[in-house]
Amino acid sequence: MPVERRHQLALAAALAFIAIVCLPPSGEWQAVHIELCILCGQNGAAASILNAVLYLPLGAALWWRFRSLRRVIVLGALCSLSVEILQLMIPGRDTALGDLIMNTVGAMLGGLLAVRPSAWLLPTQGAARLATALVALAASAMFVMAGLLFTP
C-alpha cells in the first residue's frame, strides 16, 4: 500500500474515532449550555487530559498528510470547533472552551510526536534517561491528581 494511502487511512481512522467518542447522544435534551472555563467540573483536569489524548492520533495523521505544524494546529482546532458545535445539537452533550483548547493542544502534541518518531522510538541514552524521569514524574502526578479528584 502506498504511503500516501496509509496517511489518508490514518487520518480517516483518527476522525472516525473522534466522532465515535464525541458525537453519540448521552442523555436527555437540555438547554444549550456552553462552559467558558478551562478545567470545568469536579473532574475537569482528568477530562482535559483525556481530551488532549483523544486528539493525539489526529495530530500525527495531519502531520503525516501535510508536513506543517501550523496546518496541524489550525486543522486540529477546526475539527475540535466542529465537534463542539455539533455537540450543541446532540442530547446530553456539553460544549466547553476547555475542550476546544485541550483538543487543539492534543493535536499539536500529536503532530510534534510525529515530526521525529525515531527520536521517540530509538532515543539516545541521555534522552532515554530524561524521558524515563519525566514519565515517572508524570505518573506520580497522575496518581496524586487522581487521588485528589476522586475523593468523595
Side-chain angles (χ1 to χ4, degrees), residues 91-139:
R93 291 295 184 166
D94 292 323
T95 297
L97 176 63
D99 292 352
L100 176 65
I101 292 169
M102 292 310 292
N103 293 343
T104 304
V105 166
M108 180 187 69
L109 290 174
L112 288 171
L113 289 172
V115 169
R116 290 205 31 211
S118 63
W120 298 97
L121 297 174
L122 301 169
T124 64
Q125 188 175 13
R129 284 186 183 142
L130 176 62
T132 302
L134 290 174
V135 167
L137 180 64

Side-chain angles (χ1 to χ4, degrees), residues 5-143:
R5 181 76 173 142
R6 282 185 282 179
H7 294 168
Q8 290 172 348
L9 288 174
L11 184 57
L15 290 170
F17 182 69
I18 290 169
I20 289 167
V21 170
C22 297
L23 297 179
S26 65
E28 298 295 320
W29 282 105
Q30 48 191 335
V32 172
H33 183 67
I34 301 173
E35 292 284 339
L36 297 178
C37 61
I38 306 299
L39 299 173
C40 304
Q42 183 178 2
N43 299 327
S48 293
I49 291 168
L50 290 174
N51 277 324
V53 169
L54 176 66
Y55 274 69
L56 284 173
L58 177 64
L62 288 170
W63 170 259
W64 293 328
R65 178 75 174 95
F66 297 109
R67 300 283 184 197
S68 165
L69 192 57
R70 179 177 290 153
R71 272 197 176 166
V72 168
I73 294 169
V74 169
L75 293 174
L78 287 174
C79 178
S80 179
L81 181 63
S82 300
V83 167
E84 295 301 318
I85 290 170
L86 286 171
Q87 285 181 342
L88 288 171
M89 299 174 264
I90 298 173
R93 291 295 184 166
D94 292 323
T95 297
L97 176 63
D99 292 352
L100 176 65
I101 292 169
M102 292 310 292
N103 293 343
T104 304
V105 166
M108 180 187 69
L109 290 174
L112 288 171
L113 289 172
V115 169
R116 290 205 31 211
S118 63
W120 298 97
L121 297 174
L122 301 169
T124 64
Q125 188 175 13
R129 284 186 183 142
L130 176 62
T132 302
L134 290 174
V135 167
L137 180 64
S140 299
M142 288 173 61
F143 282 122

